[in-house]
Amino acid sequence: MSGNSIGKLFTVTTFGESHGIALGAIVDGCPPGMPLCEEDLQIDLDRRKPGTSRHTTQRREADEVKILSGVFEGKTTGCPIGLLIENTDQRSKDYTNIAESFRPGHADYTYQHKYGFRDYRGGGRSSARETAMRVAAGAIAKKYLKHIAGIEVRGYLSQLGPITIDKIDWDEVGNNPFFCPDVDKVAEMERYMDALRKEGESIGARIVVVASNVPPGLGEPIFDRLDADIAHAMMSINAVKGVEIGDGFDCINTKGTKFRDEITPEGFLSNHAGGILGGISSGQNIVASIALKPTSSLHLPGRSINIRGEAIEVVTKGRHDPCVGIRATPIAEAMLAIVLMDHLLRHRGQNAGVDSRLSVLR
Amino acid sequence: MSGNSIGKLFTVTTFGESHGIALGAIVDGCPPGMPLCEEDLQIDLDRRKPGTSRHTTQRREADEVKILSGVFEGKTTGCPIGLLIENTDQRSKDYTNIAESFRPGHADYTYQHKYGFRDYRGGGRSSARETAMRVAAGAIAKKYLKHIAGIEVRGYLSQLGPITIDKIDWDEVGNNPFFCPDVDKVAEMERYMDALRKEGESIGARIVVVASNVPPGLGEPIFDRLDADIAHAMMSINAVKGVEIGDGFDCINTKGTKFRDEITPEGFLSNHAGGILGGISSGQNIVASIALKPTSSLHLPGRSINIRGEAIEVVTKGRHDPCVGIRATPIAEAMLAIVLMDHLLRHRGQNAGVDSRLSVLR
Amino acid sequence: MSGNSIGKLFTVTTFGESHGIALGAIVDGCPPGMPLCEEDLQIDLDRRKPGTSRHTTQRREADEVKILSGVFEGKTTGCPIGLLIENTDQRSKDYTNIAESFRPGHADYTYQHKYGFRDYRGGGRSSARETAMRVAAGAIAKKYLKHIAGIEVRGYLSQLGPITIDKIDWDEVGNNPFFCPDVDKVAEMERYMDALRKEGESIGARIVVVASNVPPGLGEPIFDRLDADIAHAMMSINAVKGVEIGDGFDCINTKGTKFRDEITPEGFLSNHAGGILGGISSGQNIVASIALKPTSSLHLPGRSINIRGEAIEVVTKGRHDPCVGIRATPIAEAMLAIVLMDHLLRHRGQNAGVDSRLSVLR
Amino acid sequence: MSGNSIGKLFTVTTFGESHGIALGAIVDGCPPGMPLCEEDLQIDLDRRKPGTSRHTTQRREADEVKILSGVFEGKTTGCPIGLLIENTDQRSKDYTNIAESFRPGHADYTYQHKYGFRDYRGGGRSSARETAMRVAAGAIAKKYLKHIAGIEVRGYLSQLGPITIDKIDWDEVGNNPFFCPDVDKVAEMERYMDALRKEGESIGARIVVVASNVPPGLGEPIFDRLDADIAHAMMSINAVKGVEIGDGFDCINTKGTKFRDEITPEGFLSNHAGGILGGISSGQNIVASIALKPTSSLHLPGRSINIRGEAIEVVTKGRHDPCVGIRATPIAEAMLAIVLMDHLLRHRGQNAGVDSRLSVLR
């Protein structure tokens, strides 16, 4: 089906622009009988919400999600779940100078080429605003994965510009605005961000998402391999320019004996593969990492053209993130959850009753 | 549809195992009227073929493809094109010790978990052998893209283990067994590979694929963005563990003013984005890069378990590549061509007649 | 994608239950640049609306549709169009005796089997209420087909129980509550319906939908033939039990020389095929006919069981249609429009630039 | 995916023309561990084969199917199954007068419009020859349905031109060339067919297919309802012009109290619905009926045009069926099996573990 849907059995379809009336989604294929309420979704939406620290955009988005269907007496019915978030805080006047300009590094230029016409306010459909719906839909998947299948999906910031973390403490992730798991790096990150803001610049980030307690066997080779679908989902997030599974690009210069994860009766001895072998989950943690580019929405002027092909200089006003990576963690978690949910159902449909005769090793 | 198909309008479906009777594919959705013959496909199959140098596996694969349908009087009819390659050189006896073992780093273990049963000979469906069909199908896409739309798809090896290239000369790529575009690195790569073979080890590689002369406007946001579909296609190739578009992971530590590609009336000033903005092609070269892991098929013993969960040591005999990256270039080109073909048709269907009022800039 | 979506390039996804908060739809893939506003959709929704005559259900449904996205400055942007209709007039108390019963002839029993749990109010997702969204989405397709491609989609009631029409006057269709094109049958139909209502019974109907000025070449053999997709779309409408193309079941006892539509340079001599040959449109009118079963929601008692498997008698209270066919015409038109829209885009994508060298004949 | 695939989890993709080198199919999504061999498929192919009686075409088709992949040590592996049938008996010379003509009632005209170019020999891709692959693929589904799920799929001829059957004895179906279940009608059918052949005419037929022992709960409302997918699959068969479920078009003039199938603790009291309620299987027999048009390939001349738009007279030479319905029964069975297989896997994936708390009633 058209490009705004993802997933074969667990399908998420979204609509909505940055400055439109509302954002919405239809989540189709959630199995029946699972308790679900708006609070389940609001938690992750709040984690994504800008305006919660001086380091993120100052746009206030209420982001209150409503469930319009698919839930009865507090449980999912198996029928499609309609979700709605009304846009409340758009400042249209901030974008009027952009109607005929193409902001360098943004999708304005390509949307004009593709559609011949675009909603220029705040980036329209290309704005990161639409990721709110992904997070809401992903929360449904996260809940099912956790409560029905015991799978946990969590992410963290592993690099902010030049600053890399040295250790991972999951309990720290929620204690700072960066989703940083290394408490000793937080102050450094704050100073770096403040300097960036003064400079008027932006920087990129690396996010890592991990799924634990994943059953082996998920993935549909050869094209719908689990890693291929994860890469697809991650790369579909605005600002993502790279995806890795396990060791990723580090494996280029790793010897074979070192890279392959040996197995003993007690479990695997390493996890360079990131939990996926031959496109199918092995039972080990699934580890994916994404690179997010620096925002192109800057107060610093950039050269571009307008719709008549004339040279212009563009200065983006309004509210922007100096580092979109600050908010990407819940979005990446949501996308991983959506993919795993789809594959859980697909594998269950294809291979019910298969007896692999193997234990699950981690 | 099930996992062995890729693409919405231009759809490729494949079948076939390493040691089965034949490999095959159905290529559906190729527009009518294009001249096509077996030689068109054989060229790329021969580029992929092992046994052409001492650096690749010594398995002789004839890889002669036959066109069984969809072509009449030398031209495509618009009806599905059936392709067939008969397996001629499988040495089944090389694999008999593997029937009950799981080679570490291979898909044996996960296939057993998923299906409860597997064709263990040569990796069965998980073997890289199936990529022959992708290359054959991709050749059809490549031809259409080039002759009808003027789009060229080419790739090269940009890194072999620790050795990185310093320059790109497209004319050199076909002159060595590595698809290396830097003539001054070839001898070093050969020495490195010889040492690797003596050691019994393997190493990874990085391949870059480039599509030039791409019309702007390809890609279907938000989920079927062009970069998302490219990432999906690339990650579906055996041994791929990472995908980047444009600067990829380098953008994490790049400032915003430096990363964004400014535009002038004469064209873009840079191409950090890799030719894709907001998930849609901009008209610039599309640049994607993939990381291929070192092969796990080694003569050096590795620890693993057998089907009864007992600890064993596995030594893989038979014929293997010390660096699968050596053959990946034609496969990566094929996958990029298949994705671009699908998107060309989708965009043409969705947006025929759109007048963007813009010139194409490179 | 899961079961609540239809279409490959022009995709409609819906949600919403009879007594839920709202009904909604996402229409994805509408090309950009087409003028669209809520009035365009409201026209067909009003045609479908119950409570407009004594012959239809007395439930008052405001059915006011809102466009939430995908339209900017009065034109489609090419981005997904979100639609919403808030349910305003549900009388929940009418259904409380049904929570544990299965109304014979309804989907209660099968929904319970499938999901183990159901929203029993008014039939939940199985209610004909959800067809409101199909009509709203179909109105978008209808507009594009008409204004961009010159294709007209119209339907009429050709049989109500035992009463068949003798002539077709398109101007009469909108003048009576039956969508009956034969003014001389209207009074008879009204008397028949009044008698039916007094009896407490229901009856079936036959609807015919016609698409005119269709370009030849639409349809994607062999599985996505145009007639196959039309049959799929029609049979997906609640209460439909049969679909015919052209002469349909009459062709069983028609000789070959009589059935085949001969062609002259001036055009076809007949249209037994209903405008589709080999699964592809021929340029002639596309004619499809559907059979709608009599409603099972009756005040007359019926034997059934409850959730404990005990024998019960069920009397449906509340508001019901004695003939659902009365409202099906706009729904059937909408489904035909949705299918034609999808195929128009698909054909345009697959075969742009094909020169058939033939004129269009009607 | 493109038009030559059907099914979401159990996907069948085919290729091949009437006079091409071979026909083939890829059956993807068959669960692993099921015994399968070529004989399983050959049985149904032989039932479909022409040349077995004087009443069917005299073209001798060997129709020997080969399994090229997806089966190992006699059982399915879960990987895609490649099937191949080589065309052996095509008499190309019979069709040379058709290269520039459009046979009335055939797809020649519409294929020319769509593709601008066609393989004219024997109808190319539009020929009924391609149904051989559907039957082979359907045999895999039939086997799984029967041996794993206990579902039986069988069909029969219920009407040949004006001759309707009076009784159904399944044991008779295989005893005559018509798949006629009423032994007392066979002689009449033979005389009728002989007269038809002398006349040079053709006639239509009605086939009924029945699936028994179907579990309740199959079907994915609202668009992928089981009846909608059955209608799609049936209408995709060449020559089908109508599809009914249960009473079909008879329900138009049936009162509601009579049509609805009442339920008692011992089971249903009738099956007017044809085993499907609200688009979901109820556990009762699924009953579908199709109308097949009379063949347009006649020795009797018909008026048509050629590629230059000039009036011509067309006489079809070569070998033809006076009644294609004679062979349609195995094809219709195959399509029903393919749809049920897909839905069985989809339901199992979506709703595993659902406890409906109901018994299965028939």
Side-chain angles (χ1 to χ4, degrees):
Chain A
M1 69 304 317
S2 220
N4 288 281
S5 290
I6 185 170
K8 289 219 164 94
L9 287 199
F10 182 79
T11 307
V12 176
T13 309
T14 75
F15 71 82
E17 297 95 34
S18 179
H19 282 61
I21 298 170
L23 305 172
I26 299 177
V27 177
D28 194 14
C30 183
M34 178 177 85
L36 186 71
C37 61
E38 283 151 358
E39 288 66 44
D40 294 326
L41 315 188
Q42 202 59 52
I43 290 174
D44 272 330
L45 278 168
D46 291 346
R47 292 173 69 223
R48 177 199 161 280
K49 194 164 58 178
T52 48
S53 83
R54 69 179 184 282
H55 301 295
T56 62
T57 190
Q58 291 313 302
R59 169 175 177 171
R60 298 230 155 283
E61 295 168 11
D63 272 359
E64 269 191 41
V65 66
K66 294 204 196 88
I67 295 177
L68 302 180
S69 69
V71 178
F72 181 59
E73 294 177 349
K75 291 183 291 179
T76 55
T77 58
C79 296
I81 300 168
L83 305 175
L84 195 75
I85 293 176
E86 294 181 33
N87 276 331
T88 56
D89 183 30
Q90 321 100 297
R91 297 185 208 168
S92 283
K93 63 185 184 316
D94 289 327
Y95 297 102
T96 46
N97 64 327
I98 276 173
E100 294 201 327
S101 319
F102 303 120
R103 299 168 294 164
H106 278 276
D108 306 346
Y109 176 75
T110 52
Y111 268 60
Q112 182 67 29
H113 257 289
K114 184 172 185 69
Y115 301 110
F117 172 61
R118 66 188 175 97
D119 178 348
Y120 57 79
R121 304 166 300 166
R125 181 72 174 152
S126 70
S127 156
R129 183 99 188 87
E130 60 82 11
T131 59
M133 277 339 297
R134 303 192 200 206
V135 169
I140 296 174
K142 264 187 166 185
K143 182 165 191 184
Y144 187 90
L145 290 172
K146 183 155 192 185
H147 295 231
I148 308 295
I151 301 169
E152 177 122 44
V153 175
R154 300 180 295 182
Y156 60 85
L157 178 83
S158 82
Q159 184 176 352
L160 177 74
I163 307 166
T164 56
I165 60 169
D166 293 329
K167 59 186 188 291
I168 300 164
D169 180 344
W170 287 107
D171 293 332
E172 284 300 324
V173 172
N175 288 347
N176 59 79
F178 305 109
F179 298 99
C180 175
D182 184 345
V183 64
D184 297 328
K185 298 286 178 163
V186 176
E188 188 181 350
M189 287 181 179
E190 291 192 324
R191 285 191 304 272
Y192 185 78
M193 288 286 284
D194 287 337
L196 215 54
R197 196 170 301 104
K198 282 202 182 67
E199 245 188 312
E201 274 284 7
S202 63
I203 202 69
R206 174 196 290 262
I207 303 289
V208 174
V209 264
V210 179
S212 52
N213 212 32
V214 180
L218 305 192
E220 303 297 328
I222 53 166
F223 292 115
D224 290 349
R225 293 164 51 123
L226 184 61
D227 42 359
D229 275 356
I230 290 173
H232 175 261
M234 295 298 164
M235 196 67 89
S236 79
I237 301 172
N238 317 56
V240 171
K241 299 305 290 184
V243 185
E244 293 178 323
I245 302 288
D247 283 11
F249 281 87
D250 284 350
C251 77
I252 293 170
N253 198 17
T254 307
K255 292 273 175 72
T257 52
K258 181 137 176 276
F259 185 79
R260 66 182 177 185
D261 301 311
E262 294 180 299
I263 318 174
T264 74
E266 289 71 47
F268 286 83
L269 294 181
S270 54
N271 190 15
H272 297 286
I276 299 176
L277 272 177
I280 296 170
S281 61
S282 63
Q284 291 201 283
N285 282 357
I286 290 173
V287 183
S289 155
I290 59 179
L292 291 119
K293 68 176 190 180
T295 322
S296 301
S297 294
L298 303 170
H299 296 157
L300 298 170
R303 280 169 291 180
S304 190
I305 59 172
N306 64 15
I307 203 164
R308 288 170 295 281
E310 301 160 339
I312 60 171
E313 203 178 71
V314 174
V315 168
T316 318
K317 298 198 174 69
R319 305 157 299 188
H320 302 280
D321 285 310
C323 179
V324 297
I326 297 298
R327 279 203 282 165
T329 296
I331 305 167
E333 292 173 0
M335 295 316 298
L336 180 57
I338 287 168
V339 172
L340 285 173
M341 181 75 179
D342 192 43
H343 275 273
L344 184 71
L345 300 186
R346 289 180 72 176
H347 174 63
R348 202 162 65 176
Q350 296 286 163
N351 299 294
V354 160
D355 175 17
S356 70
R357 295 172 282 155
L358 300 176
S359 319
V360 175
L361 299 174
R362 307 282 181 199
Chain B
M1 69 303 316
S2 220
N4 287 282
S5 290
I6 185 168
K8 288 219 165 96
L9 287 198
F10 182 80
T11 305
V12 176
T13 308
T14 75
F15 72 82
E17 296 96 33
S18 179
H19 283 62
I21 298 170
L23 304 172
I26 298 176
V27 177
D28 194 14
C30 183
M34 178 177 86
L36 187 70
C37 62
E38 283 151 357
E39 288 66 45
D40 293 326
L41 315 188
Q42 203 57 54
I43 290 172
D44 273 330
L45 278 168
D46 291 347
R47 293 172 70 223
R48 175 200 162 280
K49 195 164 59 177
T52 48
S53 81
R54 69 180 185 279
H55 302 293
T56 62
T57 188
Q58 291 314 301
R59 170 175 176 169
R60 296 229 157 284
E61 295 169 7
D63 273 0
E64 269 189 42
V65 65
K66 295 204 194 90
I67 295 176
L68 302 180
S69 69
V71 178
F72 182 59
E73 293 177 350
K75 291 184 290 178
T76 55
T77 58
C79 296
I81 300 168
L83 304 176
L84 196 74
I85 293 177
E86 294 181 33
N87 275 331
T88 56
D89 183 29
Q90 323 98 294
R91 299 185 209 168
S92 285
K93 62 185 187 311
D94 290 328
Y95 296 102
T96 46
N97 63 326
I98 276 173
E100 294 200 326
S101 320
F102 302 121
R103 298 169 293 165
H106 277 277
D108 306 346
Y109 176 74
T110 51
Y111 268 61
Q112 181 68 29
H113 257 290
K114 184 172 184 70
Y115 300 111
F117 172 61
R118 66 189 175 97
D119 177 351
Y120 57 79
R121 303 167 300 166
R125 180 72 175 154
S126 70
S127 157
R129 183 101 187 86
E130 60 82 12
T131 60
M133 276 340 295
R134 305 192 200 205
V135 170
I140 296 174
K142 264 186 166 186
K143 182 166 191 184
Y144 187 89
L145 289 172
K146 184 155 191 186
H147 294 230
I148 309 294
I151 300 169
E152 178 120 45
V153 175
R154 299 180 296 182
Y156 60 85
L157 178 85
S158 82
Q159 185 177 352
L160 177 73
I163 308 167
T164 55
I165 60 170
D166 292 329
K167 59 186 190 290
I168 300 165
D169 181 344
W170 287 108
D171 294 333
E172 286 297 325
V173 172
N175 287 346
N176 58 79
F178 305 109
F179 297 100
C180 175
D182 184 345
V183 64
D184 297 328
K185 298 285 177 161
V186 176
E188 187 182 349
M189 288 183 178
E190 292 192 324
R191 285 190 305 269
Y192 184 80
M193 288 286 284
D194 287 337
L196 215 53
R197 198 170 298 105
K198 281 200 182 69
E199 246 187 312
E201 274 286 7
S202 63
I203 202 69
R206 174 196 290 262
I207 304 288
V208 174
V209 265
V210 180
S212 51
N213 212 32
V214 180
L218 304 192
E220 303 297 327
I222 52 164
F223 291 116
D224 289 349
R225 296 164 51 124
L226 184 61
D227 43 357
D229 275 356
I230 290 172
H232 176 261
M234 295 297 165
M235 196 67 88
S236 79
I237 300 172
N238 316 59
V240 170
K241 300 305 291 183
V243 185
E244 294 177 322
I245 303 289
D247 284 12
F249 282 87
D250 284 349
C251 76
I252 294 171
N253 197 19
T254 307
K255 290 275 176 71
T257 52
K258 181 138 177 276
F259 184 79
R260 65 183 176 185
D261 301 311
E262 294 181 299
I263 317 173
T264 74
E266 289 72 47
F268 286 83
L269 294 180
S270 54
N271 189 15
H272 297 285
I276 299 176
L277 272 177
I280 296 170
S281 61
S282 63
Q284 290 201 285
N285 280 359
I286 289 172
V287 183
S289 155
I290 58 178
L292 291 120
K293 69 175 190 180
T295 322
S296 301
S297 293
L298 303 170
H299 296 156
L300 301 169
R303 281 171 291 181
S304 189
I305 59 172
N306 64 17
I307 203 165
R308 288 170 294 280
E310 301 160 339
I312 60 171
E313 203 177 71
V314 173
V315 168
T316 318
K317 297 198 174 67
R319 305 157 299 189
H320 303 279
D321 285 308
C323 179
V324 296
I326 298 298
R327 281 204 281 167
T329 296
I331 304 167
E333 292 173 359
M335 295 316 296
L336 181 56
I338 286 169
V339 171
L340 285 173
M341 182 76 179
D342 192 43
H343 275 273
L344 185 70
L345 300 186
R346 288 181 74 176
H347 175 62
R348 201 163 64 176
Q350 296 287 162
N351 300 294
V354 160
D355 174 16
S356 69
R357 295 172 283 154
L358 299 175
S359 318
V360 175
L361 298 173
R362 307 279 183 201
Chain C
M1 57 319 308
S2 221
N4 288 282
S5 289
I6 185 169
K8 287 218 166 94
L9 288 199
F10 182 79
T11 306
V12 176
T13 308
T14 74
F15 71 82
E17 297 94 34
S18 178
H19 283 61
I21 299 171
L23 305 172
I26 299 177
V27 177
D28 193 15
C30 183
M34 178 177 85
L36 187 70
C37 61
E38 282 151 358
E39 287 67 44
D40 293 326
L41 315 188
Q42 202 58 53
I43 290 172
D44 272 331
L45 277 169
D46 290 345
R47 292 172 70 222
R48 175 198 164 278
K49 196 163 57 178
T52 49
S53 82
R54 69 180 184 281
H55 301 295
T56 63
T57 188
Q58 291 313 300
R59 169 175 178 170
R60 296 229 157 285
E61 297 170 5
D63 271 359
E64 268 190 43
V65 66
K66 294 204 197 88
I67 294 177
L68 302 180
S69 70
V71 177
F72 182 59
E73 295 177 349
K75 290 182 291 179
T76 55
T77 59
C79 296
I81 299 167
L83 305 175
L84 195 76
I85 292 175
E86 294 181 34
N87 276 332
T88 55
D89 182 30
Q90 322 100 298
R91 298 185 208 167
S92 284
K93 62 185 187 314
D94 288 329
Y95 296 103
T96 45
N97 64 328
I98 275 172
E100 294 202 325
S101 320
F102 302 121
R103 299 167 294 165
H106 278 278
D108 306 346
Y109 176 75
T110 51
Y111 268 60
Q112 180 69 29
H113 258 292
K114 185 174 184 69
Y115 300 111
F117 172 60
R118 67 188 174 99
D119 177 351
Y120 55 80
R121 304 166 298 166
R125 180 72 175 154
S126 68
S127 155
R129 181 100 187 89
E130 61 83 10
T131 59
M133 278 338 296
R134 303 192 201 206
V135 169
I140 296 175
K142 264 187 166 186
K143 183 166 190 184
Y144 187 89
L145 290 172
K146 183 154 191 185
H147 295 230
I148 309 292
I151 300 168
E152 179 120 45
V153 174
R154 300 181 295 183
Y156 60 86
L157 178 85
S158 80
Q159 183 176 352
L160 177 74
I163 308 166
T164 55
I165 60 169
D166 292 329
K167 59 186 190 291
I168 300 166
D169 180 344
W170 286 108
D171 293 333
E172 285 298 325
V173 172
N175 289 345
N176 59 79
F178 304 110
F179 297 100
C180 175
D182 183 345
V183 63
D184 297 328
K185 298 285 178 161
V186 176
E188 189 182 349
M189 287 182 179
E190 292 194 322
R191 284 190 305 269
Y192 185 78
M193 287 286 283
D194 288 336
L196 214 54
R197 199 170 298 103
K198 281 201 183 69
E199 247 188 309
E201 273 286 5
S202 64
I203 202 67
R206 175 196 289 262
I207 305 287
V208 174
V209 264
V210 180
S212 52
N213 212 34
V214 180
L218 305 193
E220 303 296 329
I222 52 164
F223 291 116
D224 290 349
R225 293 162 53 121
L226 184 61
D227 43 359
D229 275 356
I230 290 172
H232 175 260
M234 294 299 165
M235 197 67 87
S236 80
I237 300 172
N238 317 55
V240 172
K241 300 305 288 183
V243 184
E244 293 177 324
I245 303 286
D247 284 10
F249 282 86
D250 284 350
C251 78
I252 293 170
N253 198 18
T254 306
K255 291 273 176 72
T257 51
K258 179 138 176 276
F259 185 79
R260 66 183 176 184
D261 301 312
E262 295 181 299
I263 317 174
T264 74
E266 290 71 46
F268 286 82
L269 294 180
S270 53
N271 190 14
H272 298 286
I276 300 176
L277 272 177
I280 297 171
S281 61
S282 64
Q284 291 201 282
N285 281 358
I286 289 173
V287 184
S289 154
I290 59 178
L292 291 119
K293 67 175 191 181
T295 322
S296 302
S297 294
L298 303 170
H299 296 155
L300 299 169
R303 281 171 292 181
S304 190
I305 59 171
N306 64 15
I307 203 164
R308 288 171 294 281
E310 301 160 337
I312 59 172
E313 203 177 72
V314 173
V315 167
T316 319
K317 298 199 175 66
R319 306 157 298 188
H320 303 279
D321 286 308
C323 179
V324 296
I326 296 300
R327 280 205 280 166
T329 295
I331 304 168
E333 291 172 1
M335 295 316 297
L336 180 57
I338 287 169
V339 172
L340 285 173
M341 181 77 179
D342 192 44
H343 275 274
L344 186 70
L345 300 186
R346 289 181 72 177
H347 176 61
R348 201 162 66 176
Q350 296 287 161
N351 298 296
V354 160
D355 174 16
S356 70
R357 296 171 282 154
L358 299 174
S359 317
V360 175
L361 298 173
R362 308 281 183 199
Chain D
M1 69 304 312
S2 219
N4 288 282
S5 290
I6 184 170
K8 290 218 166 94
L9 287 198
F10 182 78
T11 306
V12 176
T13 308
T14 74
F15 72 83
E17 297 95 33
S18 179
H19 284 61
I21 299 171
L23 305 172
I26 299 177
V27 178
D28 193 14
C30 183
M34 177 176 86
L36 187 70
C37 61
E38 283 152 358
E39 287 67 43
D40 294 326
L41 316 188
Q42 203 58 53
I43 290 173
D44 272 331
L45 279 168
D46 291 346
R47 293 172 69 224
R48 175 198 163 279
K49 195 163 58 177
T52 48
S53 82
R54 69 180 183 281
H55 301 295
T56 63
T57 189
Q58 291 313 301
R59 170 174 176 170
R60 297 230 156 283
E61 295 167 11
D63 272 358
E64 269 190 42
V65 65
K66 295 203 196 88
I67 295 176
L68 302 180
S69 69
V71 177
F72 182 59
E73 294 179 348
K75 291 183 290 178
T76 55
T77 58
C79 296
I81 300 168
L83 305 176
L84 195 75
I85 292 176
E86 294 181 33
N87 275 333
T88 55
D89 183 29
Q90 322 100 295
R91 299 185 207 168
S92 284
K93 62 184 185 317
D94 288 330
Y95 296 102
T96 45
N97 64 327
I98 275 172
E100 294 201 326
S101 320
F102 304 121
R103 298 168 294 164
H106 278 276
D108 306 347
Y109 176 75
T110 51
Y111 268 60
Q112 180 68 30
H113 258 291
K114 184 172 184 68
Y115 300 111
F117 172 60
R118 65 188 175 98
D119 177 350
Y120 56 80
R121 303 167 300 167
R125 181 73 176 151
S126 69
S127 154
R129 183 99 187 88
E130 61 82 10
T131 59
M133 278 339 297
R134 305 192 200 205
V135 170
I140 296 174
K142 263 186 165 185
K143 182 165 190 185
Y144 187 89
L145 291 172
K146 183 155 191 186
H147 294 230
I148 309 293
I151 301 168
E152 178 121 45
V153 174
R154 300 180 295 183
Y156 60 86
L157 178 85
S158 81
Q159 183 176 352
L160 177 75
I163 308 166
T164 55
I165 61 168
D166 293 328
K167 58 186 191 288
I168 300 166
D169 180 346
W170 287 107
D171 293 333
E172 283 301 323
V173 172
N175 288 346
N176 59 77
F178 304 110
F179 298 100
C180 174
D182 183 345
V183 63
D184 296 329
K185 296 286 176 161
V186 176
E188 189 182 350
M189 288 183 179
E190 292 192 325
R191 285 190 304 270
Y192 185 78
M193 289 285 283
D194 287 338
L196 214 55
R197 198 168 299 103
K198 281 201 181 68
E199 247 188 310
E201 274 285 7
S202 63
I203 202 68
R206 173 197 291 262
I207 304 287
V208 174
V209 263
V210 180
S212 52
N213 212 32
V214 180
L218 306 192
E220 303 297 328
I222 52 165
F223 292 116
D224 289 350
R225 294 164 51 124
L226 184 61
D227 42 358
D229 275 356
I230 290 173
H232 175 261
M234 294 299 165
M235 196 68 88
S236 81
I237 301 172
N238 317 54
V240 172
K241 300 305 289 184
V243 184
E244 293 177 323
I245 303 287
D247 284 11
F249 282 86
D250 284 349
C251 77
I252 294 169
N253 197 19
T254 306
K255 291 274 176 70
T257 52
K258 181 141 176 274
F259 185 79
R260 66 183 176 185
D261 301 311
E262 294 180 299
I263 318 175
T264 74
E266 290 70 48
F268 286 83
L269 294 181
S270 54
N271 189 15
H272 297 286
I276 299 176
L277 271 177
I280 297 170
S281 60
S282 63
Q284 289 201 284
N285 280 0
I286 289 173
V287 183
S289 157
I290 58 178
L292 291 120
K293 68 176 190 179
T295 322
S296 301
S297 294
L298 303 170
H299 295 158
L300 299 170
R303 280 169 293 181
S304 190
I305 59 171
N306 65 15
I307 203 165
R308 289 171 293 280
E310 301 160 339
I312 59 173
E313 203 175 71
V314 173
V315 168
T316 319
K317 299 200 175 62
R319 308 157 298 188
H320 302 279
D321 285 307
C323 178
V324 296
I326 296 300
R327 280 205 281 168
T329 296
I331 305 167
E333 292 173 1
M335 296 316 297
L336 181 57
I338 287 168
V339 171
L340 285 172
M341 182 77 179
D342 192 43
H343 275 274
L344 184 70
L345 300 186
R346 290 181 71 177
H347 175 62
R348 202 162 64 177
Q350 297 286 162
N351 299 295
V354 160
D355 175 15
S356 69
R357 295 172 282 154
L358 300 174
S359 316
V360 175
L361 298 174
R362 308 283 183 196

